[in-house]
Amino acid sequence: MTNQRSRREILKGGLAAAGLGVLGIPEWALPALAQGETLVPFTDIPESVRWETPPDRRILDVRTIDGPFTPADKFATTQHYGHPTIDPAAFRLKVSGLVEKPLSLSLDDLKRMGTTDLVAGFECSGNRGPLQGLCSNGRWTGVSLKKVLDSAAINASAREFVFFGADHGEEEVEWRTQKFKLDVPFGRSLNREKAMSPEIFLAWALNGQPLTTHQGAPLRLIVPGWYGVANVKWLSQIHIQKDAYTGKYQTRWYRTIKGEMIDGEMKYMETAVTHMNLKSFIARVTKNGGPCNITGVVLNDGTPIKSVEVKVDDGPWQPATMDPSTKEKYGWKLFHYAWNNPAPGDHTLVSRVTDVTGKMQPTAAELETKKSFLEENSQSPRKVKIA
Ligand SMILES: Nc1nc2c(c(=O)[nH]1)N[C@H]1C(S)=C(S)[C@@H](COP(=O)(O)O)O[C@H]1N2
Ligand SMILES: [Mo]
């Protein structure tokens, strides 16, 4: 038995036990296939993948992507402290600190401040190949954060805007030779300029339905074009201060350590995880008789896209076509590539995206000096088998 064969047999066995089809996903979860169309199997799915994830986490099976919006019950989801319990009737968003008018707003108060839609997709900064399942795209309904902040009358001295979730946990906080165990909320901050920019959004609905607990009900922050961690769920308080916020998930966990050549010397620099780096990946391959159709996803910070190319095995880069249904600035973009008459056997497929500034998705080799695993946006190969 070859390695590959045994891996596939094991995968099959495990899936049968879980009551799933050979593809590892319930039949109803698959997008409709055209008549005569079949899904081409990926052969690089790690044995360790658990499609049946714990109830508060979920990866998106990217093979099910068939349109611009991810349904709420498939939307990728994760967090650090589990789900908090919030009574929506008693819920108030507090705005405190360096403001003339501290606020305590119910969801209805917020809705009266205006209701607009924003299409935004994001990925967790830990998302990576081959599965790339920690990303999704949605149509959010809510209000511009700036409207809320303007009504609180922000003090001129305000510099740092801290967003706290209702979720919390015990953390060890070190000071000099002392260690304290403190119960702290999940918090993330934005500087004044970013917090006051008009696209920052407070959302109470996804795809036309109230947020579920998984997505941060009743209210979450959306920082369009930034990695998932910025989008604070179960948002309960905005505290405005002068000093930099130094919570664990602000200044320690969501950092990238990467070597850069500066004046001929390698310097290891640490940067904050903020806007999404330019990424594309192949999500799904289908076959209709001879030809195959490859569908993929582009995520970035909203900079317009110039092109996506696809490479089959050692062939040349070939242009893919952008899907006209995904044109929103901060939404993910889908692309398609017609792979005509692929030979039976194993193949490697990879995509790369270029934006209008000329920036191109890096190769894995170009990211070699990145020591921490977040912000992994390199070209992401997939392996398939044509029957
Ligand atoms: N309150 C709160 N918000 C949070 C987190 C958290 O732990 N607590 N995790 C962040 C991270 S790391 C990610 S990737 C996204 C995930 O959002 P989703 O579950 O809607 O995909 O939520 C972000 N917002
Ligand atoms: Mo994340």
Side-chain angles (χ1 to χ4, degrees):
M1 213 194 260
T2 65
N3 263 347
Q4 190 141 30
R5 173 120 178 271
S6 70
R7 187 191 318 143
R8 280 175 29 239
E9 292 306 318
I10 289 164
L11 189 62
K12 251 191 200 168
L15 293 168
L20 302 170
V22 282
L23 297 169
I25 25 184
E27 290 301 314
W28 54 263
L30 278 169
L33 293 162
Q35 193 162 22
E37 198 184 17
T38 53
L39 204 55
V40 174
F42 287 129
T43 56
D44 55 1
I45 297 175
E47 274 172 36
S48 57
V49 63
R50 286 161 60 216
W51 297 107
E52 329 91 84
T53 46
D56 62 357
R57 288 176 189 210
R58 190 194 301 137
I59 59 172
L60 172 66
D61 186 327
V62 297
R63 295 172 295 184
T64 67
I65 295 173
D66 65 343
F69 302 113
T70 314
D73 63 352
K74 284 192 207 163
F75 212 90
T77 189
T78 188
Q79 62 281 306
H80 293 284
Y81 297 129
H83 287 175
T85 314
I86 301 174
D87 171 5
F91 169 81
R92 296 290 181 275
L93 172 69
K94 304 258 171 61
V95 181
S96 57
L98 297 174
V99 295
E100 299 301 325
K101 291 180 253 173
L103 303 176
S104 175
L105 303 167
S106 69
L107 212 50
D108 283 340
D109 294 334
L110 285 162
K111 288 178 181 172
R112 276 191 290 272
M113 299 179 89
T115 295
T116 50
D117 277 5
L118 166 78
V119 173
F122 59 84
E123 61 170 343
C124 172
S125 50
N127 194 31
R128 52 196 185 278
L131 299 183
Q132 300 284 5
L134 274 173
C135 65
S136 289
N137 191 59
R139 179 185 295 281
W140 307 91
T141 305
V143 64
S144 162
L145 172 65
K146 186 173 189 306
K147 272 200 178 169
V148 177
L149 295 177
D150 282 345
S151 75
I154 306 297
N155 225 286
S157 61
R159 287 285 164 272
E160 183 88 336
F161 291 61
V162 191
F163 300 84
F164 289 116
D167 52 331
H168 55 96
E170 196 174 80
E171 298 290 355
E172 198 170 82
V173 178
E174 236 182 295
W175 181 78
R176 297 200 173 187
T177 58
Q178 284 179 288
K179 282 181 182 164
F180 312 108
K181 280 209 182 317
L182 303 177
D183 189 53
V184 294
F186 178 85
R188 289 280 306 179
S189 68
L190 297 174
N191 67 26
R192 182 183 184 121
E193 189 193 2
K194 189 73 186 173
M196 296 296 276
S197 66
E199 78 269 15
I200 314 294
F201 203 73
L202 298 179
W204 52 75
L206 170 65
N207 302 334
Q209 296 296 318
L211 295 184
T212 67
T213 300
H214 286 80
Q215 292 124 26
L219 190 71
R220 83 178 301 169
L221 181 68
I222 298 283
V223 182
W226 282 32
Y227 282 108
V229 68
N231 301 325
V232 177
K233 305 198 281 188
W234 313 292
L235 181 67
S236 63
Q237 182 156 21
I238 305 173
H239 187 72
I240 297 151
Q241 59 190 44
K242 260 190 212 163
D243 282 318
Y245 172 69
T246 60
K248 170 178 169 181
Y249 295 112
Q250 183 69 32
T251 58
R252 279 167 281 161
W253 275 44
Y254 287 90
R255 312 297 282 187
T256 291
I257 297 168
K258 188 165 176 263
E260 269 175 53
M261 288 303 277
I262 300 175
D263 289 339
E265 239 183 84
M266 184 65 83
K267 290 258 162 45
Y268 285 90
M269 309 295 276
E270 187 175 316
T271 52
V273 169
T274 57
H275 69 91
M276 281 186 278
N277 293 298
L278 185 60
K279 172 187 277 191
S280 74
F281 62 84
I282 286 163
R284 157 183 160 89
V285 183
T286 59
K287 192 170 192 292
N288 203 335
C292 283
N293 187 22
I294 297 173
T295 299
V297 174
V298 170
L299 283 157
N300 80 335
D301 60 4
T303 306
I305 299 305
K306 185 173 150 224
S307 63
V308 179
E309 297 157 288
V310 169
K311 188 165 88 158
V312 177
D313 300 322
D314 294 322
W317 288 104
Q318 301 277 3
T321 309
M322 300 312 289
D323 190 313
S325 75
T326 50
K327 285 196 161 143
E328 298 278 351
K329 179 172 183 187
Y330 292 114
W332 71 13
K333 315 289 182 291
L334 302 181
F335 65 85
H336 304 285
Y337 176 77
W339 179 20
N340 293 317
N341 299 311
D346 293 311
H347 297 279
T348 301
L349 310 173
V350 66
S351 63
R352 70 176 183 193
V353 55
T354 305
D355 73 18
V356 294
T357 72
K359 186 184 284 177
M360 186 185 276
Q361 184 178 3
T363 61
E366 284 164 341
L367 284 189
E368 223 162 43
T369 68
K370 187 169 72 62
K371 296 298 167 193
S372 49
F373 70 77
L374 303 180
E375 303 194 69
E376 169 49 81
N377 70 319
S378 65
Q379 296 168 24
S380 187
R382 294 270 4 207
K383 294 194 186 315
V384 292
K385 191 176 203 77
I386 299 291

